[in-house]
Amino acid sequence: LAKTTQPISMDSYEGQEVNITCSHNNIATNDYITWYQQFPSQGPRFIIQGYKTKVTNEVASLFIPADRKSSTLSLPRVSLSDTAVYYCLVGFTGGGNKLTFGTGTQLKVEL
Amino acid sequence: GAVVSQHPSRVICKSGTSVKIECRSLDFQATTMFWYRQFPKKSLMLMATSNEGSKATYEQGVEKDKFLINHASLTLSTLTVTSAHPEDSSFYICSARDPRARVNTGELFFGEGSRLTVL
């Protein structure tokens, strides 16, 4: 399982764009990159997933360089409600393979 | 998206008693579910992989006799904390992958979590 490294914490203000980078130097060919968001006392919630290049959905964008050794989650115009822990996971769960969580990044958004 | 539900969301028990936590996939069948444990301000720690119709696979350091897992049907997995002690107090979270999801992707759906407090 590929190990991931993220900043422990980040601070931002409402309306700003936030970019959280995750390093995963030993990512395998079959591995996908998935980001989850977790609020206190709740289960994690899926944000976005990608394999290479750029993926965008209604809440975020995910940038993955060609070597796939890192990825960046981009949250446009954050609000106070985006204050949460963001986890980067790397792996392949086809067939029920497990995913393990790293330390995550605590994002704090202020007014 | 797919829904995974846990029950109870909170439970308080006395030391020495056993507590059962249920995890259900509400709109899909899950042959595999995962149980995590999370201490305050810490990341999720995978405890075990629950397999329908067979024994669970436990992670290193997790006592299988302490944390009994049963996956008797395709929509239900249960975690029983036996003879609970205060150090077992934690946030327990289950997850499952919707087999109807895009092939070869890893999106997991998580339950709301169950907070166990052992007095």
Side-chain angles (χ1 to χ4, degrees):
Chain A
L1 294 173
K3 178 180 169 60
T4 60
T5 303
Q6 306 173 230
I8 296 296
S9 64
M10 294 182 70
D11 295 328
S12 185
Y13 294 96
E14 276 203 318
Q16 291 191 330
E17 177 184 82
V18 171
N19 296 307
I20 306 174
T21 297
C22 178
S23 297
H24 28 80
N25 290 319
N26 59 339
I27 186 170
T29 302
N30 288 340
D31 288 343
Y32 278 72
I33 301 158
T34 312
W35 286 79
Y36 290 86
Q37 175 192 56
Q38 186 184 28
F39 297 112
S41 296
Q42 293 186 27
R45 185 174 69 103
F46 173 86
I47 300 175
I48 197 166
Q49 182 179 75
Y51 183 81
K52 61 180 179 181
T53 63
K54 177 184 175 182
V55 180
T56 297
N57 62 22
E58 61 275 10
V59 298
S61 293
L62 179 60
F63 299 92
I64 306 169
D67 65 6
R68 303 200 327 122
K69 293 183 182 299
S70 67
S71 59
T72 299
L73 174 71
S74 181
L75 305 172
R77 300 176 59 81
V78 294
S79 63
L80 293 174
S81 62
D82 292 317
T83 295
V85 178
Y86 292 83
Y87 293 97
C88 161
L89 277 72
V90 174
F92 171 67
T93 62
N97 292 329
K98 59 189 179 185
L99 284 178
T100 54
F101 282 75
T103 57
T105 298
Q106 171 67 65
L107 172 65
K108 182 178 180 182
V109 181
E110 299 175 293
L111 287 172
Chain B
V3 178
V4 174
S5 180
Q6 281 183 243
H7 178 80
S9 57
R10 291 179 178 272
V11 57
I12 300 173
C13 69
K14 293 181 179 180
S15 186
T17 60
S18 294
V19 174
K20 179 185 286 188
I21 300 170
E22 294 185 344
C23 178
R24 294 181 184 275
S25 55
L26 298 185
D27 56 351
F28 66 98
Q29 294 182 329
T31 55
T32 303
M33 291 184 176
F34 304 95
W35 286 96
Y36 293 84
R37 179 175 176 176
Q38 187 175 33
F39 291 109
K41 298 190 183 299
K42 298 293 184 182
S43 183
L44 284 77
M45 183 191 77
L46 181 65
M47 298 175 66
T49 301
S50 173
N51 304 298
E52 188 270 334
S54 64
K55 292 182 178 180
T57 303
Y58 290 82
E59 294 301 301
Q60 190 173 9
V62 178
E63 301 176 58
K64 59 182 66 176
D65 294 330
K66 174 74 171 177
F67 300 100
L68 300 179
I69 292 173
N70 184 285
H71 195 151
S73 78
L74 287 171
T75 60
L76 174 64
S77 175
T78 61
L79 168 68
T80 301
V81 182
T82 63
S83 186
H85 290 284
E87 58 265 30
D88 298 322
S89 298
S90 189
F91 192 54
Y92 293 88
I93 309 170
C94 71
S95 72
R97 178 179 178 274
D98 186 347
R100 301 166 301 179
R102 297 151 290 172
V103 176
N104 295 333
T105 62
E107 182 177 349
L108 289 177
F109 295 94
F110 288 82
E112 311 94 326
S114 300
R115 184 164 300 285
L116 170 63
T117 302
V118 185
L119 302 177

